[in-house]
Amino acid sequence: MRLIRKEPYVKRKLAVGAVLSASALLAGAIQVSAGIAQAAPNPAAAGHSRGDLLALAAGQAPSAAKALGLGAQEKLVVKDAIVDADGTRHFRYERTYDGLPVLGGDLVVHQDAKGQVRSSDKAVSGSLAPASLSPKLTAGQAAGKATGAVQSTVGISKDSEAALTSVSGATGNAELVVWAADGAPRLAYRTTVEGVRADGTPSRQKLVTDANTGEVLSTHEEIETANATGTGNGVFVGNVSLTTTLTGSTYTLKDATRGNQYTTTLAGKTSGNGTLYSKTTNSWGSGAASNGESAAVDAQYGAAVTWDFYKNTFGRNGIRNDGVGAFSRVHYGSNYVNAFWDDSCFCMTYGDGSGNTHPLTELDVSGHEMSHGVTSNTAGLNYSGESGGLNEATSDIFGSMVEFYANLSKDVPDYLIGELININGNGTPLRYMDKPSKDGASADYWSSTVGNKDVHYSSGVANHFFYLLAEGSGAKTINGVSYNSPTYNGAALTGIGRAQAQQIWYRALTVYMTSTTNYKAARTATLNAAKDLYGSGSTQYNAVAAAWTGVNVN
């Protein structure tokens, strides 16, 4: 999307899209606060490899299902596993019903060190049983209806850049699933339909349609908007060091120390993996956009810093936590004013902007978009309604924290999103975390209708919460940037600092949030995270509660 996760980084007033991350604890460290042991940020800190933990979670699935009272037709399929320093387990599962994937069936099981279930967080409570498991439509008919639904949207979007200009149709066969995300389980088909948007961004929409009527129940854009030691001079990052690979007498922009992530050029194309940057010298770019290597320096450095941020701050070993690095593609299309993350290629893509002279390779764009990948591989927040706003906010939060982690003199860390790429054409950023409404569309506070906003604007509630939690309310200057953050109830709040605020948000995301988490549930998730890390009734716990009240989430 756009800049920064599942939508391309477009000029849609402040859309930096979702599927577009900073200090403190080192990997595996255990810190004592408020009299309790802080949870280890790295699962391996408990003495187990990730593979061991996944195997443990898989082995615990049957007993966990029994403890939760799941029906005989329901099975748990492990997705992620975290073990705290004291042995407490947090196992994330997807569910199947009679062998069919259940959309909205995801849950997190919390066990003590002996494997006894203490509690659980479910995306949807209640029965998952559909009225029937016999579809009236065939897979082919379902795929045709899904394609038709997408084709009917060609050219009619209010956002010209987001509008579809062509639809190539369904890819593969429609898959039978159980749709339960809205609390009314029914048999459905899941179909992928591909196309191209007006600004050149590829579109890959995953539609869920009723297996009896063909009604569209959900649509999800999978293209998410918004990888020897050499030297580089980037457009936005300036002069930096780069870890490269030397083979014979040839250097390449490939980093074996960070999961073999690398950067390629698409040279104006809109498909393929591109051509790996290689040369006989180990100096890259000139800092000018006219030098094609300069954008590649930004991209390679952005991927490296995002990797380091997650690893050194949370102990996370790559976006999927599996040690595999993503790759980056620069020079996508022509005059493409956007950037996007795509789970299917596990890659980050950047356009060159208006006139092919303004690449979208700013550091917080990199951090934002790749954080969509982290969300996809943890809570899996649905990209619509309030959960979609939380998805976008997570990328804004960690994109900003990546910027603070890097602490570059040329890209001074701030709570502004996309402030250097000048998407709006007037020097203003895409979004403001201290007072989101300054962009003209984002929400400062929660209301019963906030979920109806575009996810890039409903994200304002969580962005504002995080700023208040980290920095507090009122007027202040940080790194030369002036902020003045208000609260819904007029209360004066004192921040706990970025280091602790980001630990709370990350633990809430990876341990407590599910695909359907809304703002009320996010309050509970972050309070649980603060309790785990710092203790119930601690300064940090009370600050979380006060910051949510400050954005009208009670």
Side-chain angles (χ1 to χ4, degrees):
M1 308 242 190
R2 307 215 178 196
L3 167 76
I4 306 185
R5 190 201 158 174
K6 281 192 174 183
E7 288 192 304
Y9 202 78
V10 310
K11 201 176 188 175
R12 101 169 12 175
K13 223 166 182 187
L14 268 205
V16 210
V19 222
L20 226 202
S21 307
S23 75
L25 298 179
L26 296 177
I30 300 175
Q31 178 174 315
V32 176
S33 179
I36 63 172
Q38 177 164 311
N42 189 344
H48 303 283
S49 70
R50 175 170 167 76
D52 290 339
L53 295 183
L54 293 175
L56 176 63
Q60 289 286 304
S63 59
K66 183 177 180 180
L68 296 176
L70 304 186
Q73 291 175 289
E74 298 177 49
K75 304 296 181 186
L76 295 178
V77 180
V78 65
K79 179 180 180 181
D80 198 8
I82 294 174
V83 174
D84 296 340
D86 64 358
T88 302
R89 307 166 181 180
H90 310 278
F91 296 152
R92 186 178 294 275
Y93 297 100
E94 303 284 0
R95 269 191 282 182
T96 64
Y97 184 87
D98 198 35
L100 300 177
V102 179
L103 308 185
D106 57 298
L107 53 84
V108 185
V109 176
H110 308 285
Q111 297 180 344
D112 62 23
K114 296 181 180 180
Q116 297 299 308
V117 174
R118 299 189 314 178
S119 62
S120 66
D121 292 290
K122 296 180 180 178
V124 173
S125 300
S127 172
L128 299 183
S132 170
L133 289 174
S134 299
K136 292 182 180 179
L137 298 177
T138 65
Q141 289 171 328
K145 286 184 175 293
T147 300
V150 176
Q151 286 175 330
S152 68
T153 68
V154 170
I156 65 172
S157 172
K158 294 180 180 179
D159 182 342
S160 62
E161 281 116 344
L164 285 171
T165 57
S166 65
V167 176
S168 55
T171 59
N173 295 322
E175 172 193 20
L176 269 178
V177 298
V178 173
W179 169 255
D182 61 359
R186 71 197 86 174
L187 191 64
Y189 282 104
R190 180 166 54 185
T191 308
T192 300
V193 179
E194 295 187 345
V196 176
R197 297 194 178 277
D199 66 350
T201 303
S203 171
R204 187 184 305 110
Q205 295 188 46
K206 187 159 285 186
L207 286 83
V208 179
T209 55
D210 191 292
N212 295 321
T213 66
E215 173 193 359
V216 176
L217 304 176
S218 172
T219 180
H220 177 74
E221 175 62 72
E222 290 195 308
I223 300 296
E224 307 182 4
T225 62
N227 10 100
T229 300
T231 59
N233 193 352
V235 178
F236 296 108
V237 301
N239 292 301
V240 293
S241 295
L242 298 173
T243 301
T244 59
T245 298
L246 175 63
T247 304
S249 60
T250 301
Y251 294 95
T252 57
L253 282 184
K254 187 172 186 177
D255 186 348
T257 69
R258 297 178 176 90
N260 285 316
Q261 56 192 22
Y262 59 92
T263 299
T264 68
T265 176
L266 285 171
K269 297 179 181 178
T270 57
S271 62
N273 289 338
T275 302
L276 179 65
Y277 275 94
S278 62
K279 60 194 298 188
T280 57
T281 61
N282 206 8
S283 178
W284 310 82
S286 66
S290 57
N291 182 320
E293 291 181 359
S294 299
V297 170
D298 286 339
Q300 184 74 0
Y301 182 81
V305 171
T306 300
W307 175 286
D308 290 351
F309 164 73
Y310 275 105
K311 187 172 183 63
N312 295 333
T313 307
F314 309 119
R316 188 174 189 85
N317 194 22
I319 289 172
R320 289 191 300 240
N321 203 22
D322 61 359
V324 177
F327 76 97
S328 302
R329 307 184 301 176
V330 296
H331 307 308
Y332 175 92
S334 180
N335 299 306
Y336 181 62
V337 188
N338 224 319
F340 58 90
W341 167 265
D342 186 349
D343 270 332
S344 68
C345 67
F346 201 58
C347 69
M348 185 60 218
T349 303
Y350 303 90
D352 284 324
S354 178
N356 292 321
T357 58
H358 297 80
L360 278 285
T361 51
E362 187 183 352
L363 186 56
D364 62 358
V365 175
S366 300
H368 173 117
E369 294 295 356
M370 285 184 259
S371 292
H372 278 304
V374 173
T375 297
S376 177
N377 285 279
T378 54
L381 289 159
N382 290 335
Y383 203 61
S384 61
E386 292 188 19
S387 60
L390 285 163
N391 189 318
E392 267 300 307
T394 295
S395 282
D396 281 350
I397 289 166
F398 289 138
S400 292
M401 294 302 97
V402 165
E403 204 172 75
F404 276 99
Y405 178 87
N407 196 26
L408 297 176
S409 59
K410 190 172 180 181
D411 186 358
V412 178
D414 53 43
Y415 288 95
L416 310 175
I417 307 301
E419 71 278 5
L420 298 182
I421 56 177
N422 197 23
I423 284 286
N424 296 322
N426 59 5
T428 59
L430 284 167
R431 286 188 287 279
Y432 305 77
M433 295 181 71
D434 65 318
K435 188 177 182 182
S437 61
K438 286 195 291 188
D439 67 20
S442 290
D444 289 335
Y445 311 113
W446 182 87
S447 71
S448 60
T449 61
V450 76
N452 297 329
K453 286 180 171 288
D454 181 283
V455 294
H456 300 95
Y457 306 142
S458 61
S459 63
V461 179
N463 281 342
H464 193 191
F465 158 80
F466 185 85
Y467 177 88
L468 289 171
L469 180 62
E471 304 293 349
S473 61
K476 55 178 58 70
T477 299
I478 304 170
N479 290 341
V481 179
S482 297
Y483 303 96
N484 194 354
S485 191
T487 58
Y488 183 80
N489 56 350
L493 302 183
T494 300
I496 62 174
R498 293 182 295 275
Q500 295 179 341
Q502 67 194 2
Q503 291 291 340
I504 290 169
W505 192 267
Y506 180 79
R507 184 165 177 84
L509 176 75
T510 57
V511 173
Y512 294 109
M513 292 185 185
T514 68
S515 60
T516 61
T517 295
N518 58 16
Y519 275 115
K520 180 180 179 181
R523 178 186 174 107
T524 300
T526 49
L527 284 170
N528 283 336
K531 178 181 178 181
D532 292 345
L533 295 171
Y534 307 110
S536 179
S538 63
T539 298
Q540 296 86 345
Y541 183 94
N542 293 335
V544 169
W548 279 123
T549 300
V551 295
N552 197 35
V553 178
N554 298 302

